[in-house]
Amino acid sequence: MIFIAVRFTVRPDHADRWLDLVDEFTRATRAEPGNLFFDWSRSVDDPNVFVLLEAFADAEAGAVHVASDHFTAGLSAMAGAIAATPEIINVEVPQQGWGAMAELAPTDV
């Protein structure tokens, strides 16, 4: 799978509306056949920073995503709300989706 992490620094006046701003883009991406997950998180240290974790089944699915109309529209919508160029990690990993963490499991309380 292709795993991508993107860190967005958002302008303070857009931070509380960020998830609404990217909602259509998020829903459209999650509906793509090759999308495995597309999840947003907000930093606990800086309320203007959001991290997107996303994965696609393979490079072809990632290419389809980047060529989509909703990708272009999403970038256009985000451009006016970001304070800096986003930072990205993009790697290919030999699994499909999330796996179980070997070092931790729930205990009976």
Side-chain angles (χ1 to χ4, degrees):
M1 87 177 160
I2 304 299
F3 174 76
I4 304 162
V6 187
R7 184 168 39 200
F8 296 83
T9 301
V10 178
R11 294 178 185 169
D13 57 321
H14 286 82
D16 287 337
R17 298 187 328 259
W18 179 257
L19 294 177
D20 291 332
L21 178 74
V22 298
D23 183 60
E24 187 174 324
F25 174 53
T26 299
R27 286 185 287 109
T29 301
R30 287 177 176 167
E32 293 175 17
N35 180 257
L36 301 176
F37 56 85
F38 196 85
D39 298 326
W40 291 96
S41 297
R42 192 172 195 176
S43 172
V44 296
D45 297 321
D46 184 342
N48 300 320
V49 173
F50 292 82
V51 174
L52 172 62
L53 299 180
E54 57 185 304
F56 297 89
D58 52 32
E60 182 180 335
V64 167
H65 170 64
V66 171
S68 70
D69 289 342
H70 59 268
F71 183 84
T72 302
L75 294 185
S76 179
M78 288 185 265
I82 58 173
T85 300
E87 300 168 288
I88 189 168
I89 298 169
N90 183 329
V91 296
E92 189 170 339
V93 293
Q95 69 186 54
Q96 290 293 305
W98 294 96
M101 183 177 175
E103 300 84 3
L104 183 62
T107 59
D108 294 330
V109 179

